[in-house]
Every structure is written in C-alpha cells, then in structure tokens.
Amino acid sequence: MDRILIPDIQSSPDTRQIPIDKVGVKGLRYPIRVKDRQKGYQHTVGLFDLFVSLPHLFKGTHMSRFIEVLNEFRGEISMEKFQEILEKTKGKLQAQSAHMNVEFPYFIDKMAPVTGTPGLMSYTCFMRGALADRFDLIVGVEVPVTTVCPCSKEISEYGAHNQRGLVRVQLRFKKFFWIEEIIEIVESSVSSEVYSLLKRPDEKFVTEKAYDNPMFVEDVVRSALSRLREKNNFPWYRIEAETFESIHNHSAYALIEKDFSPEPDCFQGVTPTRFNGSL
Amino acid sequence: MDRILIPDIQSSPDTRQIPIDKVGVKGLRYPIRVKDRQKGYQHTVGLFDLFVSLPHLFKGTHMSRFIEVLNEFRGEISMEKFQEILEKTKGKLQAQSAHMNVEFPYFIDKMAPVTGTPGLMSYTCFMRGALADRFDLIVGVEVPVTTVCPCSKEISEYGAHNQRGLVRVQLRFKKFFWIEEIIEIVESSVSSEVYSLLKRPDEKFVTEKAYDNPMFVEDVVRSALSRLREKNNFPWYRIEAETFESIHNHSAYALIEKDFSPEPDCFQGVTPTRFNGSL
Amino acid sequence: MDRILIPDIQSSPDTRQIPIDKVGVKGLRYPIRVKDRQKGYQHTVGLFDLFVSLPHLFKGTHMSRFIEVLNEFRGEISMEKFQEILEKTKGKLQAQSAHMNVEFPYFIDKMAPVTGTPGLMSYTCFMRGALADRFDLIVGVEVPVTTVCPCSKEISEYGAHNQRGLVRVQLRFKKFFWIEEIIEIVESSVSSEVYSLLKRPDEKFVTEKAYDNPMFVEDVVRSALSRLREKNNFPWYRIEAETFESIHNHSAYALIEKDFSPEPDCFQGVTPTRFNGSL
Amino acid sequence: MDRILIPDIQSSPDTRQIPIDKVGVKGLRYPIRVKDRQKGYQHTVGLFDLFVSLPHLFKGTHMSRFIEVLNEFRGEISMEKFQEILEKTKGKLQAQSAHMNVEFPYFIDKMAPVTGTPGLMSYTCFMRGALADRFDLIVGVEVPVTTVCPCSKEISEYGAHNQRGLVRVQLRFKKFFWIEEIIEIVESSVSSEVYSLLKRPDEKFVTEKAYDNPMFVEDVVRSALSRLREKNNFPWYRIEAETFESIHNHSAYALIEKDFSPEPDCFQGVTPTRFNGSL
C-alpha cells in the first residue's frame, strides 16, 4: 500500500555505470548468544556491520532490510549460522554478494595456575564473512598476554622488563574448531598467559614462569605459527603480536601472514568507524 | 665497545625457518612539518609505525634503530621524502623490505561561502609506504561532509534528514598531487561541504545548497569515483563514505575500490593499536 | 598456610602518613544481568572499576579481593544490589569507603512510530556508587537523539540542518525508578527520537516531526530539566546535550546541573583509561 | 545589514526561567604554539572546548563567535594567555562566565640515561580554565612510566612483573611553573622513567634501576604527593596512577586529591565526546 503512496527512491535507476562493492549499515550494537565450549552457549554483546554489493543500475540499497535480517537471527551467532545469515541478506536485498562483520567479547572461566581460584577472562573475538559465488569466513581472536624481553634479561644483572601484550590471530579454516583452541595456542606461545585473579602463590608462579620464558614479539608470532601449522586446519592466517613496552611509550609489533588457500581474498578493508577529533 | 660487553640477543640465530613479514615499532607520536599548498609547509603531529621484514635466520630486529631513523628525518614528512626514509630504514636494519605508516591532522584555511569569513578546517591524512624491490605508496585523507537523504526529502512534505559523514579516500598515484585536490573532489561530491565557521548568511546558503543536492552514501562514492577517474593519475583507489545517520544510532556506509595497477599489493593489514576493555 | 610462606607486602606498614582516597582495579569486562522493565532482566556486558580508600598506615591494598567480590555477585547488577556489593567490598578490604563504577549497553525493543515494526535500540548506561558512612549512588544514561537547528530552519527558504546528538543524564534519586523513564524524558525533549529500524512511512513521519520541532542544545537541556524536575524524585542531576553538527566538524554542547541535596558529593573524578597515542 | 534580513533566533527571549551552566563548541582541532622550557616554544595540535554560561532569558548562544575568538588567538596557547582568551570570550558572548579546555601532546627531548642518545618523548597535557568573578585554571599532564611490583619481586625467586603505567597530575598553582617540573616530579616517583630510544647499555641500566625500585600504584601517588607538597606552589591537586598490569587484563589504579584552596571549585564535569557503537 505505502509502496503506491510513497516513492521508492532507492529502486530508481542510476545511469553512471558504477557498481558499488559494499553498501549497508555499520556500527550496530546487538545482544547475542554465542557457542561456548564449557557451557553450551554464552550471552554477550556484538558490534555489527552488514553490507551487500549494488549493481550499477540501482541508485541505492534498502538499509532497513539489513536490520530486519539481524532481528530475525537475533540471539544466535555462530560460525555455522554465518552462511545462513548471509544467504538471507543476499536474498532479501537481491544482491550478488553479502558481507557481515561482528565483534564481541567472549568470556572464559580460567583457574589460577597454583591455587586453582576461578576467574573470568574476556577475549575480543570477531568474524568476517562474505557470500558471493562461494562462502568465505575469517574468524579472529585477540588474546592478552605477558612477554618478558630476552635482551633485557640477558644484559641485566637482575630483573628484566616485561609487559602486557595483545596477540591477534585471524584465520580461515577447513573444519569447525573452538575459539578456545586458538586461545590455547596463543597462550602457550608467550612468556606467560594472563589471568583475572591471582593469589600470591599464583603470582609467584607466573612471575617465575615468565622470567624462564623470555620472548620477543618475533618469537611470539613464530611460535604461534608453528603451532597453528601443526593443526593442518587453517589454509590462511595472519598473526599479529603487539607488546605495550614497559620501558617505552610505544609498542613493539610483529606480523606474519601465510596463505595456502587456492582462492583469492574476497574481502576489502572496511575502515573502523571513527568520529570527531581523535588524532 | 659495549658490543663486546653486552650480548646482542637480537642478532643470535633462529632455527625455526620462519621469516617474519613485518616487525618494528608502532604508535609513536612525533611533531612533523608537512607540505602545504597555501603556505609552503605547516606544523602538525604524526602517529607513526615503522617496520621491516626479518629473514628466518635472525632471532630479532633492533628496535632502537627505527627511532634513530625517525630522529634523523624529524620535521620533514612528504610524499617525496617517504622513499628516502624507507631506504634509510631498509639499509640501517639490513632488511629486504621496509614499511612506514603515518597519520596526521592537516589544516586548511577555508572561507565561509557567502561572507568569506575565514575558518580553519582539520582533515585526517595518512600515508602508507613500502619499499622492497620496488617502492609503493598509498596516500589517504578523511573529509568530513554533509549529506541530505534523497529518500527522506522525496517522501516528506517538508524537511529531510541530514547528517555529518566522513569520506575516506586512499589512492596510489602516478605523479605528484596536492592533498587539497582530493579534498576538493570529495567536497564537490556531497550534499554540502563542512566549515568551521559560518555566519547566518552562510548557514542559510549551506542549508539550501544541501537540500538542493540530496545524496545517498551510494551517490557520494560514485560521484567521487567519477571525478577521481577523470584525473587519470590514480591507478588504484578505495573510496569509503560513512554517514552518521541522524535518525538512527548506526551509520550508513558504502565502499568502492578500483585497481588498474599492474602490480600486486605489497601491503598487509596492520590492526590499529587497541588497549584494554573499553566497552 | 601460604600466608606463612609468602610474605604479604601489601600489609606492611607505611610511614609517610598519606592516606589514599581510592585504590583498586579498573577496566574489567564482565558479563552481567540487569533488570529490564519489559522482560524482567536482560543479559549484557559491563565494564567495571572497583576501589577502596586506604588508611595512611598500610602500604597497599589486596587487588585480588576485588575480583573475588565481582565473582561472587557475577550476573546480578542493579540499583538495589549496588549497596550490598559495596558493603561486601568494604568489609573484605577492611576499608572505610568503597567505590564501584559500571558501564554497560542496555537494550530496549522499540516500535517504529507508524508501521510499528520492531527494532532494538542500544543505550549506554552507567552507575557510580560510593559507600562510606552513608551510601551514595549516581545513575546515568546516554540517549542518542535527532535535533533540527531552529536558526537554520528560520533563515532558510527550505530545509534545515539536523544531526544526531547524544544526551547524557546523570542523577541521584530518592526512590527506585526505571532507566526507561529517563530515556522517555530525554526522547520527548528533542526534535525526534532515534530508531534502529524505520520503514518509509516511519521515515516520513520522523522527518516531518523533527522539522516541526526544531531545537538547539540549549532547548534540549532546558526541556529535559523541566521534565525531570516534575518527577520530584531527583535531588541532583547533570544533563549534557552534544550534537554532532552536520554543517561543522565539531559539536555543539550544553550542560545544566542542579543540586538540591543536603549532602556534599563524595565522588572524585576518575579519568577514563586511555592508552598510547590517542591525542 | 544581514541582521535586518536574517532573523537572530538565538537572541529571542526564553520564558522557561532556566539558566544554562555551559553552552558552546566542543571537539575543535587547532594547530597551536605552546611555551617550551628548552626552545622557547614548540608547535603542536590542540583539541578545544569553549563554553559560556547563558542567562535564563536568552534562547541560545552564538556558536560562531567561539570560533572567531579561537581564530584571533590562533597559534598562542599558554597559562598566561588563558585568562585573556576567556575575557575575550566572556565579552564577545556577553556572558557571566566563560570556560575553555584544551588538550595537546607536548614533546620533550630526552637523553638515554647511559649513552646520552637523544630521543623525543610525548606527554599529553591539558588546561581547563574558567572565568566568572574570578579566574580559575587547572593544568594537567599525563606521564608514561614503568612500575615493578614489590609483591611479585618479594615472593619470587627471580624476576618481578612490571609494566607501563600512566600518571596523571592536575593542579591549581600560585605562581608560574614549567610543565617539565611536574614531569620530573612524576618521573622521580616511579620505578623507572620511560624513554623513546634506549641502546643496550641504557636498557640494562633501566631494567636494573626499576628492579631496585619496586613500587605499587599506592607508592607512586604517595611519592608524587610528597614531592608536590614540598614545592609549596599548588593549593589543589589530584594525582592518579594507572598501571596496565602485565599479568592481568585490567589496570591497577590509585587516586589522591588534596585541596588547600579557600575557594570552591567552579568546574563541572564535561563528559568527553563519544560517538556511536564502539563495543
């Protein structure tokens, strides 16, 4: 009815002969339920982007339909569901390709290493999916870690500078895996893992363990790569390690990327939303 | 002398056979001087990343040398200087490739459209350079703009929702150009440009001009692409438009990328520094 | 047992005679369950700070105990629970005062104004509590809104610049209230409220309604204040309106604060966590 | 002339009897020149807010006049200039009070402790000024630092966790001082100061010095307070220490505030600009 009364500007023709790679909505916060190896699922909050391609002959896409798709799948985000959501989006928007990004904190119960005291760790996870002729999904996780500097340890009479770092792994996969597996790979590739709750015996253990395992950012990405490679499940991965150096006001950083996949990448860099006066 | 006394851990051999794509320093703030079409040059502040590749047989890179390179070129950043800085970095670190990213606010004096009252606009610019066998440089700028929604204008008796948006252009180029040229292309591809100072006659002009030129994000990227293409100077570009919708709590977004360059991309996505638990 | 083996440095005496106002943990992400007027409760994610005061004679506080308190109350955050959590913290840390801040996105189902299509809106909420001799709690919410500029409307032949804005209300209260009540007050004090999903008839309605209700930031804070005052439930409040001007690259801003409470403020400004090179 | 043709909505009367504490512009980036103890002055970039109070009988303020004031003083920001800028603002806007906030990176040449190699450190500075019947100015600085945990050192056989931290000092003053003096006070109140460039002998020195001076956040704020107090120049100060714990994914935090000033505070908390849905 309102289609008769209210003109549909978006569907009007465009004559500039310029197709658009991605158009849609960006920066939507939504409560979600994600799979959890320990408990079946967990509740968290996602930040979503949802795009489609637009052929050259249409003036615009219909933005409200993206929200309708999200509403329909509300509460259920998983590696398995991703393709279904993109198919629905592609169909509803009559597009040749559809893209969805989501980022969310993921929580894991973790025992302190000596006393076994439980604490809750938060890891930022993300998924970036594309569906055109084929389906492509990248899964990623950011793992906070500790690194002790091997150089500082070697050259000093006592002590060694150490710091928090963040290791970011993104990958394509052949068969289902748990995000916890990637976190375990990263946490065994650093001087020490990080905890939310440590009692004194735990703090002693973590301090000594880290000092016994000094690692540069270079060591971290190499070690994580070796372990990922052994899984034989990941045709593409990018590993980044950034350590917030305790003796400097900048970070040390290393990146390794490996691509064993036969297909070209069908992603393009969407710049994260930024607003106003941040430098 | 201290090379004898103090061991050089970074230069010790590594046996894992894993070369590293990028390793270096990230997130360094530095005051810089950049070229300015109006005044010759201007002072601003840059945020730098500086990386090299690391062959598989070395354990680590020498982080302090990156800072020494920056110190040497302090105060002078330009499209022309980029290659020289990367050559110095590559040489000093004995690397096969070197990479530098810099981002800075760039200021332009701009007259209000009717009264001619001067005001200062700030645009975020960035350059990403890589030097391996060949030199590659991407230059980018973010331009704040106004868009009026064509759909809202068409279907409403009066008024039309409009909002601030941000258009981000990144490109490779054949011959030197002024960043001001890209800003002009963007500002002529939107409903209205944005000003820091508008008196009432200017505000009337801007309001009516924007209402006369309603544009979707799709229109913005198409229009900017048409104008960039005419310049015949840019073998690769990516144009993103994001509008902070006034009637929603999310953004509308469009992206177009064109690649006419014969060479493959030698960049890899370095994730911007992020820290801790900002909700 | 480990108290005998492992020294407790934090409990050792300090002789500098300097008490500390607040000491504790900052920036903890935790999944939480909060009260919801529509559904009883909802799941979301909180960002927590937890502090106590420290008398001059102790060297340090016991940081792990804060996490133990959070673990104990995990999953339940509400205005009513706040005092209980602070009492537990105060007791466990043997402190004279305890402080907790939490910030979280809060989700509300909202119907589009004409078609009634449902959509989910996200509002950032926060609570800041202090317990010393008395208990003090500030509750806040940030509401995204639309404003149409009255000046632009009046002076222009047609159209009027409008934009997204954010209204932030913080208050002390006498008796329980729903966060939804504050959101309703704000949403009726602006040119138009904001939605996550609007079909074309809704967009027409919202555009025209906003144009019929032009408001400066000054109008917004005055209007919200009038409505808050009528509730007769809030002895202190601070109302901020910030609009992301569509014709400028900066914001317009207004703030009103009213204090009818007999007690002095027992809060002090804790600076939000910031890291590395943001200007 | 255009005052006759174009109505001045802002000056029209308001009947709600509600004065506004602060109204103006927020989030303006501007290149500035600030005083520098080493070189006379330095160029940097500031982020500005500029507000006035508005009596109950006016509908709105004139936003463009704030930008005109900034234009007039462009290039010169200092403790001495602050009052003059606020007087100009107060006069031009015919207001009873005027407020300005500015934040900028400040750069200092710093020699490595053993080799004397020069490097450039960046410190975030800010000033918040208010002018009503009297003039009030708060000056602040954020200093990146290293802390070694005394507990971890004491209980461990070897090593000790350490990390980067940020110490934020804000103060009112009786007579002029250099921001460098506050930075020196902070840098002598921590385990070690932070450098942008360290050669191996410097790194050895810094590692051992930090290990010899373990400090909790509690120690840092107490030590800085003792030193500030000795200056006898600061009637009010707030000191915050936040350490980005290397063994946790959250911060340790301490705050002390002292007020010896006879006057009540004439500031109110302006919330920093935040936009959209970053999770």
Side-chain angles (χ1 to χ4, degrees), chain B residues 264-279:
Chain B
D265 197 334
C266 62
F267 290 100
Q268 286 156 308
V270 172
T271 305
T273 294
R274 187 160 56 168
F275 197 67
N276 218 27
S278 66
L279 183 63

Side-chain angles (χ1 to χ4, degrees), chain B residues 2-3 6-8 29-31 43-45 62 64 67-68 71 74 105 107 109 118-120 122 124 196-201 244 249-251 275-276 278-279, chain D residues 2-3 6-8 29-31 43-45 62 64 67-68 71 74 105 107 109 118-120 122 124 196-201 244 249-251 275-276 278-279:
Chain B
D2 61 74
R3 297 200 182 185
I6 303 191
D8 179 355
R29 266 199 301 195
Y30 240 77
H43 295 277
T44 183
V45 172
H62 291 85
S64 65
I67 316 291
E68 288 170 342
N71 277 348
R74 176 201 301 201
F107 298 94
D109 266 307
L120 202 57
S122 147
T124 299
S196 70
L197 202 166
L198 294 170
K199 305 302 289 179
R200 275 198 301 279
F244 309 107
N249 196 25
H250 56 261
S251 298
F275 197 67
N276 218 27
S278 66
L279 183 63
Chain D
D2 61 75
R3 298 204 181 181
I6 304 190
D8 180 354
R29 267 199 300 193
Y30 241 76
H43 294 276
T44 184
V45 172
H62 290 85
S64 65
I67 317 293
E68 288 170 341
N71 277 348
R74 175 201 300 203
F107 297 94
D109 266 306
L120 201 57
S122 147
T124 300
S196 71
L197 202 167
L198 294 170
K199 304 303 291 180
R200 275 199 299 281
F244 309 106
N249 196 25
H250 56 260
S251 299
F275 198 67
N276 219 26
S278 67
L279 183 63

Side-chain angles (χ1 to χ4, degrees), chain A residues 47 146 157 195 208 246 248, chain D residues 146 157 162 195 208 246 248 277:
Chain A
L47 190 66
T146 303
E157 297 285 320
Y195 297 85
E208 294 171 358
S246 63
H248 295 300
Chain D
T146 303
E157 297 284 321
N162 53 74
Y195 298 85
E208 294 170 358
S246 63
H248 294 301

Side-chain angles (χ1 to χ4, degrees), chain A residues 26-27 29 45-47 103-105 121-122 144-146 149 151-152 155-164 193-198 200 203-204 206-208 211-212 244-251 273 275-279, chain D residues 26-27 29 45 47 105 121-122 144-146 149 151-152 155-164 193-198 200-201 203-204 206-209 211-212 243-251 273 275-279:
Chain A
K26 195 158 177 275
R29 264 198 303 194
V45 172
L47 190 66
E103 182 185 310
F104 54 89
M121 278 291 295
S122 146
V145 303
T146 303
C149 176
C151 172
S152 170
I155 66 182
S156 305
E157 297 285 320
Y158 40 81
H161 81 80
N162 53 74
Q163 52 270 318
R164 200 175 327 151
E193 49 193 302
V194 154
Y195 297 85
S196 70
L197 201 166
L198 295 169
R200 275 198 301 279
E203 184 168 356
K204 173 179 162 60
V206 164
T207 302
E208 294 171 358
Y211 190 81
D212 286 335
F244 309 106
E245 299 291 287
S246 63
I247 60 174
H248 295 300
N249 196 25
H250 56 260
S251 299
T273 294
F275 199 67
N276 221 22
S278 65
L279 178 67
Chain D
K26 193 156 177 277
R29 267 199 300 193
V45 172
L47 190 66
M121 278 291 295
S122 147
V145 302
T146 303
C149 176
C151 172
S152 171
I155 65 181
S156 305
E157 297 284 321
Y158 40 80
H161 81 81
N162 53 74
Q163 51 269 319
R164 201 177 323 152
E193 49 193 301
V194 155
Y195 298 85
S196 71
L197 202 167
L198 294 170
R200 275 199 299 281
E203 184 168 356
K204 173 180 162 60
V206 164
T207 302
E208 294 170 358
K209 179 185 167 191
Y211 191 80
D212 285 336
T243 54
F244 309 106
E245 299 293 287
S246 63
I247 59 173
H248 294 301
N249 196 25
H250 56 260
S251 299
T273 294
F275 198 67
N276 219 26
S278 67
L279 183 63

